[in-house]
Amino acid sequence: HVQLVESGGGLVQPGGSLRLSCAASGSPFIFNAMGWYRQAPGKQRELVATINSGEHVNYGDSVKGRFTISRDIGENTVYLQMNSLKSEDTALYYCNADLMVHGGAEDIWGQGTQVTVSS
């Protein structure tokens, strides 16, 4: 059993920055990919950014050039650096992991961390 623990959300003014963290722990696993998705009230969940085992990154169009995803292999942690935040970035941000656990593929979601961009 693998758990994802997210941290780093909060309230920030427009133009500000936040860094989200997502740490995977529990059973031994093989990393395929991890990433962040977000869901604003009344909207569908959307891709923010992903990173895979080959360090290939992918970003949603609305965050390109402002957000950066990275990972610390030793700490089993993925980070999302968010700069130049806008009010439309306000959402619940979910960490997602695509892992191999005990030989089986698992798609795991965190509980979500709230990001609010407001003056």
Side-chain angles (χ1 to χ4, degrees):
H1 180 63
V2 176
Q3 292 182 338
L4 301 179
V5 178
E6 301 142 324
S7 61
L11 173 65
V12 64
Q13 293 186 342
S17 298
L18 281 175
R19 189 175 83 153
L20 305 183
S21 299
C22 175
S25 63
S27 299
F29 61 84
I30 297 174
F31 174 95
N32 290 329
M34 287 180 70
W36 293 91
Y37 294 76
R38 67 186 183 187
Q39 188 167 18
K43 295 187 177 181
Q44 291 186 331
R45 189 173 297 189
E46 65 174 355
L47 166 72
V48 177
T50 60
I51 184 168
N52 67 14
S53 58
E55 303 298 322
H56 176 76
V57 299
N58 186 39
Y59 294 99
D61 288 341
S62 61
V63 306
K64 286 180 180 177
R66 299 188 297 123
F67 291 10
T68 302
I69 189 169
S70 61
R71 70 179 180 126
D72 183 323
I73 298 173
E75 295 295 325
N76 293 323
T77 299
V78 170
Y79 302 98
L80 184 69
Q81 179 66 43
M82 305 185 294
N83 298 328
S84 302
L85 283 160
K86 307 174 182 180
S87 58
E88 49 263 45
D89 295 316
T90 295
L92 191 58
Y93 283 69
Y94 294 94
C95 181
N96 172 257
D98 173 12
L99 309 173
M100 293 294 293
V101 185
H102 300 307
E106 293 196 13
D107 184 51
I108 303 169
W109 291 89
Q111 293 297 309
T113 184
Q114 179 67 39
V115 172
T116 302
V117 184
S118 175
S119 55

